[in-house]
């Protein structure tokens, strides 16, 4: 079935800096989608502070870990103006997405309901920790498999008129 999370808010402030990570270090000058595509399943990606503009989804594989590394209260940002998903978790069973900001997934009537998601596409036992999902046309997280776990994350300002199910709807005021 289709699992959809409409909203979840568990915010702890302020964020503590995440300054260490053991794995494949990725920097804003690199193409995150390509780095992930050319790495074996089970890789830990240490995503250093900055903005990562992606034009196609980052494919998440089994047991991958995407971990933000930063020194201040801002998180590394994975953003798009072109991709219908930012992280495609279809093969990401057991994966973890941690300490990132994910925003900008695009879409409309032509691709709903599977597009416009910050994180989505299937996968089971996905863990999302200390992530801010915002400004995605459909959902912050949607279409994941069983075992989704969201911890200390913000999911806000996602969705748009074309995904609301209210297309061409009329409303009557109640008295």
């Amino acid at each position: 079935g289709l699992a959809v999370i409409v909203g979840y808010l568990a915010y702890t402030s302020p964020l503590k800096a995440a300054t260490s990570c053991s794995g494949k270090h990725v920097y804003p000058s690199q193409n995150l989608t390509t780095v992930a595509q050319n790495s074996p399943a089970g890789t830990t990606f240490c995503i250093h502070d900055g903005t990562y503009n992606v034009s196609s989804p980052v494919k998440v594989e089994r047991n991958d870990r995407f971990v933000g590394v930063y020194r201040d209260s801002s998180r590394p940002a994975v953003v798009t103006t072109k991709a219908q998903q930012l992280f495609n978790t279809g093969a990401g069973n057991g994966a973890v997405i941690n300490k990132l900001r994910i925003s900008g997934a695009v879409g409309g009537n032509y691709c709903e309901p599977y597009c416009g998601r910050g994180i989505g596409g299937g996968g089971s036992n996905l863990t999302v920790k200390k992530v801010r999902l915002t400004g995605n046309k459909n959902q912050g997280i949607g279409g994941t498999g069983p075992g989704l776990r969201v911890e200390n994350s913000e999911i806000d300002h996602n969705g748009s008129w074309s995904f609301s199910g209210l297309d061409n709807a009329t409303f009557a005021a109640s008295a």
Side-chain angles (χ1 to χ4, degrees):
L2 179 65
V4 175
I5 291 183
V6 175
Y8 175 87
L9 177 64
Y11 178 69
T12 57
S13 92
L15 287 176
K16 292 181 182 175
T19 58
S20 66
C21 177
S22 179
K24 180 177 277 194
H25 291 266
V26 185
Y27 298 90
S29 62
Q30 296 175 279
N31 182 319
L32 181 58
T33 301
T34 302
V35 171
Q37 182 178 353
N38 293 327
S39 300
T43 297
T44 295
F45 300 94
C46 303
I47 313 297
H48 286 265
D49 208 359
T51 300
Y52 297 79
N53 289 294
V54 299
S55 58
S56 60
V58 176
K59 303 256 192 247
V60 180
E61 299 290 332
R62 178 180 293 277
N63 297 320
D64 279 353
R65 296 177 49 83
F66 292 85
V67 180
V69 179
Y70 50 94
R71 295 193 182 282
D72 55 19
S73 63
S74 69
R75 300 171 211 170
V78 181
V79 302
T80 191
T81 58
K82 297 178 182 175
Q84 293 180 357
Q85 291 178 344
L86 283 116
F87 285 88
N88 183 308
T89 57
N93 297 340
V96 174
I97 300 174
N98 191 7
K99 301 174 186 165
L100 298 174
R101 181 179 186 272
I102 300 170
S103 64
V106 302
N109 289 338
Y110 58 91
C111 60
E112 65 182 308
Y114 303 107
C115 59
R117 295 174 173 164
I119 298 172
S124 60
N125 300 313
L126 172 67
T127 300
V128 177
K129 295 189 333 188
K130 298 179 183 173
V131 172
R132 180 164 186 217
L133 294 130
T134 187
N136 297 291
K137 286 289 186 186
N138 189 358
Q139 304 152 335
I141 304 173
T144 57
L148 172 64
R149 187 171 173 161
V150 179
E151 301 175 6
N152 298 319
S153 294
E154 295 175 81
I155 303 174
D156 67 282
H157 295 89
N158 297 288
S160 62
W161 187 257
S162 67
F163 287 103
S164 68
L166 301 174
D167 297 339
N168 300 316
T170 58
F171 297 92
S174 59

